[in-house]
Amino acid sequence: MTKETVLVIGSCGQLGTELVEALRGIYGDAQVVASDIRKSDNPVFEAGPFEELDVLDEAKLKSLIERYKPSQVYHLAALLSATAEKNPDFGWKLNMEGLFHVLNAARDMGIIKKVYWPSSIAAFGPNTSRFDTPQFGAMDPTTIYGISKLSGELYAQYYFNRWGVDTRSLRYPGLIGYKSAPGGGTTDYAVSIYHDALTTGHHECFLGEGTILPMLYMPDALKATLDIMHAPADQIKIRSSYNLAGMSFGPEEIAASIAKQVPDFSISDHPDYRQAIANSWPAVIDDSRAREDWGWKPDYDLDRMTQDMLENLKPLYS
Ligand code: AKB
């Protein structure tokens, strides 16, 4: 039996770092090719092949696909919401051209069997219902990141309908984890708040009280990502992107959860440009289609996540 090879593009980011580790546990270290524009110093990247790849370099991407013959590609390279707002031209270029290079390679080279590409709650906008945000409904994103995610969803669906490229995607909420740092998102405060709790005991939040956003703990995000990729093709009935939910909270609720374990913890807020981005996003997502179609169910709520985050971060600061 030939062993399956998996290529992860944009592997050194928050999700990629943990996904490479999880995939290597399933397929074997040598079978998972990690790639990014530059290598991070996380030891996970020493365990198997790593290739420097700028996904905008289509010729290099194709030569890596020829060389390693991956049957699955996870394409994660992107600018997130807050960073893309600072450089919208490059945000659009990287997020869209990178996706086209991967989709075209899957369509034209006859090597890749499945493509995973993440969308986001940012694909929704101010005219979306904020509570119980439905799978299908008004989508009018106002950030360049959200516009690129909604466009990408439609392209992924088009490549599936027109050329049979097996595209799979999730609309991630904010992702929270302790193993790797987030980079440039509007939901990132929900990671730094845990580090602050264990260092200064105070967090100044760039989002104001009452800013409820959907969030997901990293073990659940990894489970959802691997489950949708491993599900039989006929169970994937939505080829744009699936709504996905774990929990929803505002800064004062995560602070209260932390204060149960770090009694003197305090929070204040000083909202900046990210407040307007957060205000345009949903608060609570309806992910019933993911549950019905391929059995999605999260394991973590806010308090369980807080306990796990603090337990795992404590050794870093003791
Ligand atoms: C961001 O905040 O930009 C991301 C996202 C919700 O896609 N975490």
Side-chain angles (χ1 to χ4, degrees):
M1 198 175 87
T2 46
K3 286 187 173 170
E4 238 185 299
T5 301
V6 180
L7 172 65
V8 183
I9 301 168
S11 67
C12 294
Q14 184 196 17
L15 174 66
T17 304
E18 296 208 33
L19 189 61
V20 166
E21 196 179 14
L23 287 166
R24 285 188 171 155
I26 298 169
Y27 294 95
D29 289 344
Q31 299 308 120
V32 178
V33 183
S35 71
D36 210 316
I37 198 155
R38 66 189 76 80
K39 196 173 179 179
S40 89
D41 55 11
N42 193 305
V44 75
F45 298 111
E46 302 306 326
F50 182 92
E51 294 288 344
E52 274 188 11
L53 171 69
D54 175 354
V55 72
L56 294 178
D57 182 346
E58 193 172 15
K60 174 118 191 233
L61 172 67
K62 284 184 168 168
S63 81
L64 288 181
I65 292 168
E66 281 293 355
R67 189 161 131 216
Y68 287 102
K69 311 239 177 311
S71 55
Q72 300 179 44
V73 173
Y74 291 77
H75 168 41
L76 311 178
L79 286 199
L80 296 188
S81 56
T83 316
E85 279 318 285
K86 289 188 183 151
N87 191 349
D89 291 348
F90 184 63
W92 176 258
K93 185 177 169 69
L94 176 65
N95 293 4
M96 295 311 297
E97 276 180 34
L99 178 60
F100 290 144
H101 291 169
V102 173
L103 289 176
N104 288 342
R107 179 192 61 191
D108 300 336
M109 296 176 76
I111 294 172
I112 299 163
K113 303 282 176 271
K114 278 187 246 180
V115 174
Y116 180 79
W117 169 84
S119 184
S120 159
I121 54 165
F124 295 109
N127 289 301
T128 304
S129 327
R130 289 202 66 228
F131 289 86
D132 286 330
T133 304
Q135 174 69 44
F136 301 107
M139 296 185 81
D140 57 346
T142 51
T143 61
I144 202 67
Y145 174 65
I147 296 168
S148 74
K149 287 299 178 188
L150 180 56
S151 310
E153 286 187 11
L154 296 174
Y155 270 104
Q157 179 177 257
Y158 184 78
Y159 273 65
F160 174 76
N161 289 337
R162 177 88 200 261
W163 293 296
V165 177
D166 188 344
T167 52
R168 302 177 183 209
S169 176
L170 299 169
R171 290 175 180 151
Y172 288 129
L175 300 183
I176 299 167
Y178 61 86
K179 289 190 186 171
S180 50
T186 303
T187 57
D188 292 4
Y189 88 87
V191 176
S192 42
I193 194 169
Y194 287 108
H195 292 264
D196 288 349
L198 294 171
T199 51
T200 61
H202 179 79
H203 178 73
E204 184 170 273
C205 192
F206 58 71
L207 300 181
E209 196 178 325
T211 310
I212 298 170
L213 287 172
M215 302 278 183
L216 190 63
Y217 195 34
M218 191 58 88
D220 277 333
L222 293 171
K223 181 173 79 157
T225 307
L226 295 170
D227 282 358
I228 193 175
M229 277 298 267
H230 293 154
D234 62 358
Q235 283 182 17
I236 309 302
K237 304 224 162 53
I238 294 171
R239 294 294 179 159
S240 51
S241 193
Y242 276 93
N243 277 9
L244 187 75
M247 57 192 103
S248 284
F249 54 77
E252 67 287 359
E253 289 164 282
I254 187 172
S257 175
I258 292 171
K260 286 181 200 164
Q261 301 193 46
V262 183
D264 292 332
F265 180 64
S266 61
I267 184 169
S268 57
D269 61 49
H270 187 66
D272 65 14
Y273 70 101
R274 288 167 281 198
Q275 184 68 54
I277 299 178
N279 291 347
S280 75
W281 288 354
V284 181
I285 299 280
D286 170 4
D287 62 359
S288 48
R289 285 300 306 266
R291 290 171 187 257
E292 284 158 23
D293 290 358
W294 45 273
W296 161 243
K297 190 170 169 297
D299 291 326
Y300 286 84
D301 61 14
L302 176 55
D303 282 341
R304 187 164 173 225
M305 172 177 78
T306 295
Q307 194 182 353
D308 203 58
M309 281 292 285
L310 292 174
E311 249 172 53
N312 282 290
L313 286 175
K314 258 178 205 152
L316 254 186
Y317 297 113
S318 58

